[in-house]
Amino acid sequence: MTNLTALNGFSNHSEGKILHKSSLNKMENLAVKGRTLAPLRRLLGNYVLENSAVIFAAERGTGKTLLGLQACIAISAEWPSIWNEPIEYHGNTLFINCELSEDTISRRLAKLFDAPPQEIKFSEYHSYVYTTKKGLDEEAQAIIEMSKTHKPVLIVLDNFRVAFLNSDTNNGKEVAKAMHLILTLRDLLDTTIIITDHTRKHTRNLLTDSDLQSGSGVKSDLTDSDMFLRKSKQDIQYRIFKRSKSRHCEETDGAKLIRLNPDSLWFEFVQDNIDEAQHIGAEVMPVKEEQKDLARELRDQGKTIEQIAKILNRGKGTIHRWLNE
């Protein structure tokens, strides 16, 4: 079970910030303070803003690790944009690799560095990869020490399930504790954290507006925003890149179409504001037994019958009957 014991030996002060500081203020005073705060800078357009926590969910084999590596490279190499999204905030980045071997990451980076869409020149900033097979609760202190030295503006945690192997990721209470650790690191290190995750089974044909993340929905509830990478039925290399919930900017109905270049392993921009239904195939729902399994999984995550009916586009009576079979 995730806890914060790894932080107990660390000072509560970091760059003048106090960990777990509580405060009581008048609303009018907070409003005055709010007028003095600078707008949040964009690390990847409105998909990823500074000082935020982002859940990034994708089906296995879609390329979420590659996208995370490419975002790190673009931000540290001071590219002005990537995938037609502006980058306003550059700095060191840290990719925490909990899943793949260092050799596998090395081979992928070799391909990425061979034929990038822009020059990769690390003049002032660098991208780092930290490979570990330990859980995040065990590695928190090491990550804090690395961050004190390198001050990353972005940390990519790949991925949630492996980073919290000792936790039940379907249990809302345990996931809340795991997310508390991530949010604590975000605030303590004054950085943005992207947490890669998987989508649930039987969701390939559902539109991204649905609650697609695997495990407990607490993850999405506690993060600042979430984004998704989906496969397209139109081309084996096409991917739909879409953001959903956001606390800091307007939500959007549109999705972005990018293409995975199988030779360079880079994602290439194709088009903005596509009709996702034309690529996902939302008109083809999973077979009934798969829908029943999904309904039970949603119920176990705390969804109401009304919410499940909306996600699966079924009547409430049908959902009620399935859950009572």
Side-chain angles (χ1 to χ4, degrees):
M1 185 175 293
T2 305
N3 54 58
L4 292 175
T5 55
L7 302 180
N8 287 342
F10 186 73
S11 169
N12 280 348
H13 294 75
S14 174
E15 302 295 330
K17 298 183 71 174
I18 301 178
L19 185 62
H20 302 315
K21 181 182 179 181
S22 302
S23 64
L24 176 66
N25 287 292
K26 294 180 179 178
M27 289 187 183
E28 57 265 37
N29 293 339
L30 291 175
V32 170
K33 177 183 177 182
R35 297 187 186 100
T36 68
L37 298 177
L40 294 173
R41 290 169 289 185
R42 296 178 289 180
L43 281 84
L44 181 57
N46 287 331
Y47 284 80
V48 182
L49 303 179
E50 68 173 311
N51 304 129
S52 59
V54 182
I55 284 285
F56 173 37
E59 183 184 352
R60 289 173 178 82
T62 308
K64 61 183 179 299
T65 297
L66 286 172
L67 192 141
L69 290 170
Q70 291 171 29
C72 286
I73 291 171
I75 290 168
S76 295
E78 300 181 72
W79 292 1
S81 65
I82 187 171
W83 312 311
N84 205 37
E85 293 295 330
I87 302 174
E88 300 174 337
Y89 190 24
H90 300 94
N92 291 332
T93 56
L94 174 62
F95 188 94
I96 302 176
N97 170 37
C98 301
E99 183 175 10
L100 303 178
S101 69
E102 188 172 88
D103 284 353
T104 300
I105 286 286
S106 297
R107 290 189 177 96
R108 293 188 180 187
L109 286 171
K111 294 276 285 186
L112 294 175
F113 274 67
D114 281 344
Q118 303 180 49
E119 181 184 10
I120 299 177
K121 185 178 180 181
F122 297 124
S123 55
E124 184 176 355
Y125 307 118
H126 294 276
S127 290
Y128 298 89
V129 177
Y130 183 59
T131 299
T132 178
K133 292 298 180 283
K134 297 179 181 178
L136 186 63
D137 51 351
E138 296 179 81
E139 290 286 10
Q141 189 65 42
I143 292 168
I144 289 170
E145 296 302 324
M146 280 185 280
S147 298
K148 286 170 61 180
T149 301
H150 302 296
K151 297 179 172 56
V153 299
L154 172 67
I155 296 175
V156 176
L157 176 64
D158 189 33
N159 61 56
F160 183 87
R161 180 166 293 179
V162 181
F164 295 100
L165 270 179
N166 295 325
S167 298
D168 179 359
T169 54
N170 291 310
N171 182 289
K173 185 175 181 180
E174 291 199 31
V175 170
K177 290 182 178 180
M179 290 304 305
H180 183 236
L181 175 56
I182 290 172
L183 297 177
T184 298
L185 288 173
R186 177 203 61 188
D187 295 340
L188 177 64
L189 304 177
D190 195 23
T191 190
T192 290
I193 300 180
I194 295 176
I195 310 104
T196 70
D197 198 9
H198 293 117
T199 51
R200 293 195 312 270
K201 61 182 180 180
H202 309 321
T203 58
R204 180 175 294 182
N205 297 305
L206 298 179
L207 291 175
T208 306
D209 288 334
S210 304
D211 183 11
L212 298 183
Q213 296 92 337
S214 65
S216 171
V218 171
K219 284 179 288 187
S220 182
D221 294 339
L222 295 180
T223 49
D224 298 300
S225 61
D226 49 30
M227 59 188 188
F228 300 85
L229 191 66
R230 313 286 306 280
K231 292 183 178 180
S232 168
K233 67 175 183 178
Q234 293 191 7
D235 188 299
I236 192 172
Q237 306 299 349
Y238 277 176
R239 301 290 186 269
I240 298 95
F241 188 38
K242 185 175 182 180
R243 62 186 180 91
S244 184
K245 182 202 79 172
S246 176
R247 289 176 177 163
H248 302 305
C249 53
E250 292 183 3
E251 296 183 14
T252 176
D253 291 330
K256 182 185 297 291
L257 185 64
I258 56 179
R259 177 184 179 272
L260 177 63
N261 185 319
D263 297 319
S264 69
L265 297 186
W266 279 92
F267 285 107
E268 302 166 346
F269 170 73
V270 178
Q271 184 181 345
D272 276 322
N273 298 317
I274 62 167
D275 182 356
E276 184 188 12
Q278 295 181 3
H279 292 265
I280 295 296
E283 71 281 356
V284 182
M285 290 295 291
V287 299
K288 182 184 289 187
E289 290 307 315
E290 291 181 345
Q291 290 189 60
K292 289 181 179 180
D293 288 343
L294 183 54
R296 297 184 190 103
E297 186 175 341
L298 290 168
R299 176 196 58 192
D300 293 342
Q301 293 177 13
K303 300 293 182 185
T304 65
I305 288 179
E306 289 78 7
Q307 290 171 323
I308 298 171
K310 182 177 180 181
I311 290 172
L312 296 181
N313 195 27
R314 289 280 189 167
K316 290 186 289 184
T318 299
I319 300 299
H320 185 273
R321 184 175 68 255
W322 286 354
L323 296 180
N324 285 282
E325 287 182 355

